Amino acid sequence: MRKHLTGFSLFAFLFSLTSRFLKQRPNSWSLLLGSWLDEKRTATNGKRTAALLLLTAGLGLSAQAQDPRLPARKPGLEPAPLQTEQLAPDRPAADTARVFALQNLAELVFANHPVVKQAALLSETARAQVQQARGGFDPKLGSGFDRKLFGGTDYYNNWANELKVPIWPAGIDLKVGYDRMVGRYVNPEYRTPLDGLAVAGLSVPLGQGLLIDARRSTLRQACIMVDAAEADQVKQINEIWLQAAKDYWTWYYTYQQMRLIEEGVELAATRFRGTSRRALLGDQAPIDSVEAQITVQDRQVQYEQLLVELQNARLLLSNHLWNRDGQPVELPAYAVPQRPPLTPVDTLALRGLLDFADSRHPTLLKLDAKIRQLGVEERYRRELLKPTLNVSGYLLSRGDFYRPEVPASYDFGLNNYKVGVDFAVPLFLRKERGKLWETRVKVQDATLEQQNSRRSIVTQVSAKFNALKAYERQLLLQAQTIENQRTLLRAETQKFELGESTIFLVNARETKLIDLRLKQESLRASYEKTLAELYYYAGTRTANPED
């Protein structure tokens, strides 16, 4: 009797359980089964699950009910895709005809950019100033004629001609002249024979101006300023290229953001369609389709915002694009950036950059030229402390000295000459001493600035090198994190197929993967920007400064 009662109780329990399942929608039993399993998972989960499966098999439930991944399909509906493809580890290679590489940007910038052409004018201006300074040593030819005739009287008839040739050494001036001054009222001091008077001689400064004078100081300073202008030209071009490189990698990062979010929109839309079909089939709660649609809409908003940012980044990069005719050009909409090369920089390369910066950095070269220019100025100011002592001597001859019949007493010789001596000195020299003092202060200021700039350059280069090494480590860890997140998303998707997860968790895992990929692209762009800054602070634009 006890055996019959036990069998009857077991039959009643199975009948009630079966009736409970059959009262639901055809496929809703799987959801109840999943929730029941979740609640009882912590207590003897395996045994009860096995027992329940045996019971349902014994009751003759349909084969469809045993496989929740294959829901029944209503007429007119396609199979619901339960697994969307994962985000690709790397973007597929773009068409090379569409790639606008960094080298293409460099060729256009260095060839056609107006600021680069403007920087080249600095050297031209400096060379023009050198030519102006050389004008102080140009030979000078002068001539003057005056005559007065009144009442039949020839008062004077003066004709003076002079060729003055400055000579570089010792500030000497070579003078050759011809004067003809005749007439009734000509000062006897200047009266010449009727054939005129020829003059040839030198003017030599024995005091102030012997070692250096204003003409030589100006020319030497102008020659030094050519070096300063060339260094300034290199610095300006480096600044233009740094900004262009940064804008290029900003464009790259924005483009990658747009592509990743675009793929995220496609994945979310596919999952939304699959979830909607599963809800129509009764295999999933309708509220899950709302969750999936929210994800689609959120990513669509991000995508629209990134489209605007990509257009702005493209316009910003277009500021550096000019054609041969000096007309601005726009970056084509179909152009895509290249993949970051992520060129590693080792300690040997760092040492080479530091050595180059110490000897060839444009800022240091410019300051060195400034110090040398002030050195010339200081030397000239010291020369002005000397008294002025100029000695001149000229040999005289009659104007027709070229004739053989001219007597020796009227020809060039030691018996026919004109000499002169000029002497002057300020008693206190306050003006000259003040100028010298000011120049020495400027030299000291430029020297200190050079020392500080050299230290600052070494610090900046080392800091950027440290940042590059940090980015290398971060990129390695980020790649591992992305792979782990991809594995986690794959597992979560499989759990979702088995009914042990929710659409919320799948979307959360996928969103996290997209965020990690965006972070990876941000690190890549930041690495390239930091590499460009490293070269800039080292005073160059490439990894091989000597090229």
Side-chain angles (χ1 to χ4, degrees):
M1 185 67 179
R2 185 177 300 174
K3 293 182 180 179
H4 291 291
L5 291 176
T6 303
F8 179 79
S9 301
L10 178 61
F11 176 78
F13 171 75
L14 293 176
F15 179 79
S16 62
L17 181 63
T18 305
S19 301
R20 180 183 177 185
F21 287 148
L22 294 178
K23 289 179 181 180
Q24 305 297 325
R25 289 180 299 180
N27 294 321
S28 61
W29 71 272
S30 59
L31 298 178
L32 294 175
L33 178 60
S35 61
W36 186 82
L37 289 175
D38 289 337
E39 294 174 357
K40 304 300 182 179
R41 184 173 300 170
T42 56
T44 63
N45 188 32
K47 295 182 179 179
R48 295 189 179 184
T49 302
L52 186 58
L53 290 176
L54 290 174
L55 291 174
T56 53
L59 291 176
L61 295 178
S62 64
Q64 173 188 354
Q66 296 177 18
D67 189 358
R69 291 174 295 175
L70 298 175
R73 183 173 30 152
K74 294 183 179 181
L77 293 178
E78 297 297 329
L82 302 182
Q83 180 178 359
T84 58
E85 63 175 290
Q86 310 298 318
L87 291 172
D90 290 304
R91 305 296 309 178
D95 184 5
T96 55
R98 299 173 53 199
V99 174
F100 182 71
L102 187 66
Q103 181 61 31
N104 303 131
L105 176 64
E107 293 173 357
L108 292 175
V109 169
F110 296 144
N112 304 324
H113 200 288
V115 178
V116 174
K117 295 180 178 180
Q118 184 181 10
L121 298 179
L122 295 174
S123 298
E124 296 297 326
T125 302
R127 293 186 179 93
Q129 292 176 352
V130 171
Q131 186 174 359
Q132 295 177 31
R134 293 186 187 278
F137 295 89
D138 289 343
K140 184 177 182 180
L141 177 64
S143 178
F145 177 76
D146 292 310
R147 184 180 184 185
K148 181 178 180 181
L149 182 64
F150 182 73
T153 302
D154 189 4
Y155 279 75
Y156 54 82
N157 189 335
N158 299 337
W159 185 27
N161 303 274
E162 181 184 52
L163 174 62
K164 187 176 181 180
V165 182
I167 301 177
W168 177 273
I172 298 174
D173 290 333
L174 173 63
K175 180 180 179 181
V176 178
Y178 172 78
D179 298 331
R180 184 178 182 277
M181 298 183 180
V182 296
R184 183 172 180 179
Y185 296 105
V186 174
N187 191 334
E189 181 180 356
Y190 302 111
R191 189 184 299 275
T192 65
L194 292 177
D195 295 330
L197 191 66
V199 179
L202 300 173
S203 175
V204 181
L206 298 180
Q208 184 184 117
L210 178 63
L211 301 179
I212 188 172
D213 56 9
R215 296 175 300 184
R216 284 177 284 176
S217 174
T218 302
L219 180 56
R220 288 174 178 173
Q221 293 185 43
C223 292
I224 294 174
M225 288 308 297
V226 173
D227 298 336
E230 291 177 351
D232 198 17
Q233 174 186 351
V234 173
K235 183 178 180 180
Q236 290 192 17
I237 295 177
N238 288 349
E239 290 177 351
I240 290 298
W241 174 242
L242 174 63
Q243 187 60 47
K246 285 185 174 181
D247 292 341
Y248 181 88
W249 294 117
T250 299
W251 172 52
Y252 163 82
Y253 175 54
T254 308
Y255 175 80
Q256 294 299 329
Q257 282 183 296
M258 188 272 294
R259 292 296 303 274
L260 288 171
I261 296 300
E262 180 182 21
E263 185 178 356
V265 171
E266 295 174 358
L267 294 176
T270 301
R271 186 174 294 112
F272 169 66
R273 290 192 297 268
T275 304
S276 300
R277 286 195 291 266
R278 293 182 67 174
L280 291 176
L281 295 173
D283 190 54
Q284 195 163 353
I287 195 63
D288 290 341
S289 63
V290 178
E291 175 74 27
Q293 187 180 22
I294 291 175
T295 303
V296 175
Q297 294 170 341
D298 180 63
R299 294 180 183 178
Q300 285 178 341
V301 170
Q302 297 181 48
Y303 179 75
E304 293 297 331
Q305 180 180 359
L306 287 172
L307 280 180
V308 177
E309 294 181 4
L310 180 61
Q311 293 175 358
N312 294 338
R314 188 181 293 113
L315 290 176
L316 192 62
L317 183 61
S318 298
N319 288 337
H320 307 285
L321 303 181
W322 302 77
N323 59 19
R324 296 180 180 178
D325 299 329
Q327 299 298 323
V329 296
E330 298 292 336
L331 184 67
Y334 60 82
V336 297
Q338 72 173 68
R339 293 181 58 84
L342 301 178
T343 305
V345 181
D346 54 15
T347 54
L348 182 61
L350 173 64
R351 176 53 54 188
L353 290 174
L354 289 175
D355 293 340
F356 178 85
D358 186 68
S359 59
R360 301 280 300 279
H361 197 283
T363 300
L364 299 180
L365 291 178
K366 186 177 180 180
L367 290 173
D368 181 70
K370 182 179 180 181
I371 292 174
R372 289 188 287 123
Q373 179 191 14
L374 291 173
V376 174
E377 180 71 16
E378 181 182 5
R379 183 183 177 188
Y380 171 63
R381 293 301 174 183
R382 286 200 308 266
E383 188 72 10
L384 294 180
L385 297 178
K386 299 178 181 179
T388 301
L389 179 60
N390 296 329
V391 178
S392 60
Y394 303 95
L395 299 179
L396 307 177
S397 175
R398 274 190 0 183
D400 54 352
F401 62 90
Y402 51 86
R403 296 183 181 181
E405 61 272 14
V406 175
S409 58
Y410 293 105
D411 201 358
F412 288 110
L414 297 178
N415 295 326
N416 300 318
Y417 63 87
K418 183 175 67 172
V419 296
V421 178
D422 295 329
F423 176 81
V425 58
L427 295 180
F428 299 108
L429 296 172
R430 284 183 288 194
K431 178 181 179 181
E432 290 74 11
R433 288 189 288 111
K435 288 289 186 180
L436 178 60
W437 187 5
E438 180 183 5
T439 304
R440 286 175 174 172
V441 171
K442 291 181 179 179
V443 171
Q444 186 178 7
D445 178 74
T447 303
L448 294 175
E449 183 180 358
Q450 187 184 46
Q451 294 175 357
N452 182 67
S453 298
R454 180 174 283 106
R455 178 62 183 273
S456 177
I457 288 171
V458 172
T459 302
Q460 289 172 335
V461 171
S462 300
K464 294 304 175 182
F465 176 77
N466 295 336
L468 284 179
K469 290 303 177 182
Y471 280 130
E472 290 178 2
R473 295 190 296 269
Q474 292 177 38
L475 283 170
L476 182 61
L477 293 175
Q478 191 71 12
Q480 298 173 357
T481 305
I482 289 174
E483 188 60 31
N484 293 335
Q485 183 66 26
R486 187 176 287 110
T487 302
L488 187 61
L489 174 60
R490 191 178 297 111
E492 194 69 41
T493 305
Q494 292 175 355
K495 289 175 62 179
F496 177 75
E497 294 175 1
L498 297 174
E500 297 182 0
S501 183
T502 63
I503 191 68
F504 174 80
L505 291 177
V506 174
N507 287 335
R509 303 295 190 198
E510 189 175 81
T511 301
K512 181 62 177 180
L513 178 58
I514 294 176
D515 293 340
L516 291 176
R517 287 295 307 277
L518 291 175
K519 179 64 175 178
Q520 184 184 45
E521 297 301 339
S522 175
L523 289 174
R524 289 174 177 175
S526 298
Y527 183 92
E528 294 297 335
K529 290 180 181 180
T530 305
L531 184 62
E533 291 177 345
L534 173 66
Y535 295 150
Y536 170 76
Y537 288 124
T540 182
R541 297 184 294 272
T542 61
N544 299 318
E546 300 297 337
D547 294 345

